[in-house]
Amino acid sequence: MKETLLKTAAAGINILYLPFRLKPQRNKVTIISRQSNKPSMDIKAISGELEGRGIETAVLCKKMDESIKGFVKFLPETLRQMHHIAESKVILLDGYCLLISVLPKLKNKKVVQVWHSLAAIKKFGHQNIGRPGGRDPVLARALKLHRNYDEVLAPGKAMGKLFAEAFNVEEERIRILGLPRIEILSKGEDIDLFKVYEKYPQIEGKKIILYAPTFRRGKGLDLRGIMEAFNLEDKVLVIKRHSEDKGVNSADNPNIIIDSIFPSTTWLNICEKLITDYSAISLEGALLDKELYIYQPDVEEYGEEVGLNIDFREKELKDYCYTDPEKLMEGLKGPYDKEVVRAFLKEYIEVDTNSCIRALGDHIEDLLKE
């Protein structure tokens, strides 16, 4: 029943797009995201670069609830996307786009998947369809998960191979180009520290440890272990949960902050140490040469349910991997070899970190000339 409804909706989209095919195409770029209702750091940088070159650019950012009801409510945005897609020669995506996947391959247009993350630490997309932590096969089949991409961006060849699997594209379609955030993070974000200290005066004069775990689809994040174990009086633990995670939002310990106000990049710039699990923030932390600790209390279960592309227990960072919060705290007190972080960075990021925005702008301009 569910698959029939979704396939009917997909057929309806094809019919709705028919009159838009008559619109004349222009040398225009459309950027589409459903990650947030606001442009991300990357989208702002890309659109700013293109507009600075005099290239007509449309930015469409709107989250969609993945349900039949959400599908219906998204219809006005779908029509808006149709309008801009029809007019554009290049379409940039930072995630799955319903229209691009369910419509037949659009002629004389280049569709580029830039993705919203630097890394594929965990399996996603076509890699884990049917797994408990992956996409529903019925949904993936009916809505044609990740199809019709001409190119997929990746920051290096090793990550490109993983992206090729996740998006089900040939490796020849991978373009080694970095997201703008690589350059932005490398050069240092312009941070208003006064606002951070004003909100959290307890951090002044103390070293900050950032804990930024990945989003667990359909499961809440259990913070009790790390919160109960945290005993570093001279430091503050900032827990930056994924925006989709619900659960504990305060702590009894004054040296623990559960933040939902400032972006993770702000905390990354001011923290001394980074704790994460299966999140691409590990690579962002490596860009900033942070001490990187991997805390994965559910690693066996997560590996079975979601799947791992990069198992840190088998990589350079193996000596900084923990499943027990008490042992993690002991590790945080000890010495750290930054060379393991630099080796991790070198393996997965090959692009020039100082010119990602210009290089991406050059590439898009070339696509417009084809």
Side-chain angles (χ1 to χ4, degrees), residues 13-14 54 118 130 147 181 238 250 258 263-264 335 337 347 366:
I13 285 175
N14 276 273
L118 293 182
R147 295 195 189 183
R181 73 176 61 195
V238 175
S250 63
I258 302 177
S264 58
D337 179 11
E347 182 175 1
D366 287 342

Side-chain angles (χ1 to χ4, degrees), residues 177-196:
L177 289 163
L179 285 175
R181 73 176 61 195
I182 293 175
E183 180 177 344
I184 295 167
L185 286 170
S186 297
K187 291 181 176 178
E189 185 186 12
D190 185 17
I191 304 167
D192 188 346
L193 284 178
F194 176 77
K195 288 184 179 179
V196 181

Side-chain angles (χ1 to χ4, degrees), residues 127-370:
Q127 290 180 307
N128 61 1
I129 292 174
R131 285 196 180 196
R135 291 295 181 181
D136 178 348
V138 172
L139 193 68
R141 186 167 56 247
L143 298 183
K144 301 181 180 179
L145 182 67
H146 294 306
R147 295 195 189 183
N148 296 329
Y149 303 149
D150 294 291
E151 298 181 351
V152 174
L153 304 191
K157 291 178 183 177
M159 198 58 68
K161 289 181 179 180
L162 300 177
F163 280 2
E165 292 176 11
F167 295 118
N168 194 29
V169 300
E170 303 90 348
E171 286 187 32
E172 291 72 25
R173 293 185 184 273
I174 300 296
R175 299 292 178 267
I176 306 304
L177 289 163
L179 285 175
R181 73 176 61 195
I182 293 175
E183 180 177 344
I184 295 167
L185 286 170
S186 297
K187 291 181 176 178
E189 185 186 12
D190 185 17
I191 304 167
D192 188 346
L193 284 178
F194 176 77
K195 288 184 179 179
V196 181
Y197 289 129
E198 185 179 44
K199 176 61 182 176
Y200 301 116
Q202 66 267 44
I203 71 173
E204 194 162 2
K206 292 190 175 183
K207 299 290 186 180
I208 295 171
I209 300 172
L210 173 63
Y211 175 40
T214 196
F215 175 55
R216 287 154 171 78
R217 188 181 303 277
K219 290 186 177 183
L221 179 64
D222 187 356
L223 299 173
R224 289 173 297 177
I226 195 167
M227 289 173 66
E228 290 171 3
F230 187 72
N231 59 3
L232 307 179
E233 294 297 327
D234 61 330
K235 293 179 172 59
V236 172
L237 177 67
V238 175
I239 300 174
K240 186 65 186 175
R241 294 185 318 207
H242 191 282
S243 59
E244 297 293 327
D245 265 323
K246 310 298 178 187
V248 178
N249 53 25
S250 63
D252 294 330
N253 187 334
N255 283 339
I256 298 178
I257 295 168
I258 302 177
D259 177 66
S260 59
I261 298 171
F262 300 101
S264 58
T265 49
T266 293
W267 291 114
L268 259 184
N269 273 278
I270 61 178
C271 75
E272 175 192 35
K273 305 171 189 284
L274 169 64
I275 306 168
T276 188
D277 46 18
Y278 319 102
S279 172
I281 200 173
S282 56
L283 205 50
E284 295 177 7
L287 274 167
L288 292 174
D289 205 35
K290 301 294 181 179
E291 293 182 16
L292 180 56
Y293 299 82
I294 308 301
Y295 175 53
Q296 300 171 325
D298 60 345
V299 64
E300 299 298 338
E301 178 187 3
Y302 198 89
E304 286 293 323
E305 294 189 353
V306 179
L308 300 177
N309 283 317
I310 298 173
D311 190 337
F312 288 112
R313 298 171 297 179
E314 300 172 358
K315 308 294 283 186
E316 299 88 348
L317 287 155
K318 61 182 182 295
D319 292 336
Y320 302 99
C321 291
Y322 303 90
T323 56
D324 181 82
E326 300 288 346
K327 291 182 178 178
L328 170 64
M329 292 304 135
E330 289 303 310
L332 289 167
K333 296 174 186 176
Y336 197 96
D337 179 11
K338 285 277 190 77
E339 288 306 313
V340 300
V341 173
R342 291 160 192 158
F344 171 55
L345 180 68
K346 185 177 180 180
E347 182 175 1
Y348 293 107
I349 293 190
E350 300 176 20
V351 297
D352 181 353
T353 59
N354 294 312
S355 62
C356 293
I357 299 172
R358 179 178 56 78
L360 187 51
D362 289 344
H363 182 66
I364 295 168
E365 198 162 21
D366 287 342
L367 292 177
L368 288 170
K369 294 174 183 176
E370 289 183 2

